[in-house]
């Protein structure tokens, strides 16, 4: 019995220590989750809201990292975002909902990358 518990704890600890970014959220998944969140002040208390905010922040961070890496390597980055980008939920949802249904399986990061490349293109 103790052996089974020890094995279960070891497996759980191993799962918690495993890096998570193996699979990114798609635009379809993001929109499906967002549709289930009420549009009122209590939304900030919901775990789903915090998860979507974390996904969005991670996407912006990944794009910034790519931008820095491209500049360091002497390549032209896909986007030249300003230091601070302000995006409200309505803008984000409007932009994601504008993506055709056939393309909504792209990652949230790819969708935001395309959006930022349109909004903040790098000079040639």
């Amino acid at each position: 019995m103790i052996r089974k518990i020890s094995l279960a704890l070891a497996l759980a600890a191993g799962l918690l220590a495993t890096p998570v970014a193996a699979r990114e959220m798609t635009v379809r998944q993001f929109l499906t989750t967002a549709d289930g969140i009420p549009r009122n002040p209590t939304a900030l208390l919901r775990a789903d809201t915090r998860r979507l905010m974390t996904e969005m922040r991670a996407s912006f961070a990944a794009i910034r990292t790519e931008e820095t890496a491209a500049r360091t390597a002497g390549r032209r980055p896909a986007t030249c975002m300003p230091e601070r980008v302000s995006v409200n939920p309505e803008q984000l949802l409007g932009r994601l909902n504008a993506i055709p249904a056939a393309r909504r399986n792209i990652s949230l990061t790819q969708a935001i990358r395309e959006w930022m490349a349109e909004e903040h293109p790098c000079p040639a």
Side-chain angles (χ1 to χ4, degrees):
M1 178 72 165
I2 292 176
R3 188 175 178 164
K4 287 182 182 179
I5 292 172
S6 297
L7 180 60
L9 289 174
L11 286 173
L15 289 175
L16 291 176
T18 305
V20 176
R23 214 181 97 185
E24 287 187 56
M25 181 177 275
T26 66
V27 170
R28 186 176 319 281
Q29 292 167 327
F30 190 94
L31 290 173
T32 300
T33 303
D35 285 343
I37 298 173
R39 303 294 189 259
N40 61 39
T42 65
L44 293 174
L45 302 174
R46 296 177 62 102
D48 283 346
T49 303
R50 291 191 304 275
R51 191 174 98 224
L52 294 182
M53 290 170 64
T54 300
E55 289 286 339
M56 186 186 73
R57 285 186 192 116
S59 293
F60 274 99
I63 294 165
R64 286 210 185 279
T65 300
E66 291 169 2
E67 185 178 335
T68 302
R71 281 198 176 106
T72 302
R75 296 186 317 265
R76 184 173 164 234
T79 180
C80 289
M81 292 189 297
E83 191 130 338
R84 287 197 44 88
V85 176
S86 179
V87 176
N88 68 46
E90 290 79 26
Q91 284 178 305
L92 178 65
L93 291 175
R95 180 64 184 211
L96 296 179
N97 279 311
I99 296 172
R103 284 199 68 227
R104 288 188 181 172
N105 286 329
I106 63 173
S107 71
L108 181 63
T109 301
Q110 180 60 32
I112 292 175
R113 183 183 298 112
E114 291 172 6
W115 180 21
M116 291 297 110
E118 274 182 35
E119 294 286 318
H120 308 287
C122 291

